Amino acid sequence: MMKKLLLAIFPFLLFSAPSFAYTKYTVLNSTSGTVDYLIFKQVGELFCGEHYINNLTPWSITPDSDGRGACLLESIQGTLHIDGKDIPLEYHSSGTSYGQFVIVSKRVDNKVTAKIVSADILGNYNNSDDTPQYDGNPQYDDNPQYDDTPKYDDTPKYDDTPSV
């Protein structure tokens, strides 16, 4: 009897304990388009339900309002509305702990394509309250790498001026 009780309670303890929780889903919309909603489907329908992020405006970062517990992500689906077109967004995984994503788009010959990709947009994995830290300013590498090897021109230099 005690074994059955423990087996029944253990999954609830496992999936509700804060120490096992992954970061909330957070999405950066780096496009000039909008997304009405994104659906996050998680592995394990019994304990892990769907999550939604609504109203992603252009050039914005939006966190999920709910925590996801210890649930792995299986897929993301949504639609980007840009330049009068609807572009489907899809992300698939066999089960990932990733929680930060970016919607990107590009235009080639007046045709817009878009996708959603995983990315480190918060830049701070020690942030315990999952508050996005993105301030809208692009980040630049303050330590550019230079090639310190000097370049020499080995071409001989001649003075073609006649001497008298």
Side-chain angles (χ1 to χ4, degrees):
M1 174 74 172
M2 184 61 127
K3 243 184 189 180
K4 287 182 180 179
L5 182 61
L6 285 175
L7 287 175
I9 295 174
F10 181 71
F12 293 107
L13 294 174
L14 178 65
F15 288 104
S16 64
S19 61
F20 293 112
Y22 294 119
T23 60
K24 291 180 181 180
Y25 296 119
T26 304
V27 179
L28 170 64
N29 180 5
S30 71
T31 74
S32 60
T34 61
V35 177
D36 295 332
Y37 61 90
L38 289 173
I39 302 170
F40 295 80
K41 295 183 181 182
Q42 301 178 121
V43 176
E45 295 175 17
L46 184 59
F47 298 107
C48 302
E50 293 180 347
H51 282 247
Y52 300 89
I53 294 181
N54 299 317
N55 302 320
L56 286 92
T57 57
W59 311 107
S60 67
I61 188 168
T62 309
D64 184 6
S65 59
D66 298 322
R68 66 191 263 206
C71 298
L72 296 175
L73 177 66
E74 186 172 54
S75 68
I76 304 172
Q77 295 177 331
T79 304
L80 176 66
H81 308 289
I82 188 168
D83 295 342
K85 304 222 181 326
D86 293 338
I87 302 171
L89 298 171
E90 292 188 8
Y91 177 90
H92 295 281
S93 171
S94 58
T96 183
S97 61
Y98 294 154
Q100 301 172 37
F101 298 90
V102 177
I103 299 170
V104 294
S105 69
K106 71 177 182 177
R107 180 184 311 275
V108 176
D109 298 329
N110 279 338
K111 183 177 179 185
V112 178
T113 59
K115 62 183 176 178
I116 186 165
V117 296
S118 62
D120 174 13
I121 56 176
L122 300 181
N124 181 1
Y125 291 106
N126 296 321
N127 188 1
S128 60
D129 67 354
D130 289 331
T131 305
Q133 302 299 310
Y134 181 74
D135 63 4
N137 296 320
Q139 301 299 311
Y140 299 101
D141 184 359
D142 291 337
N143 299 311
Q145 301 299 312
Y146 297 103
D147 182 2
D148 292 330
T149 309
K151 305 291 187 239
Y152 296 102
D153 182 1
D154 294 329
T155 308
K157 303 292 183 213
Y158 298 103
D159 183 6
D160 291 340
T161 311
S163 60
V164 190

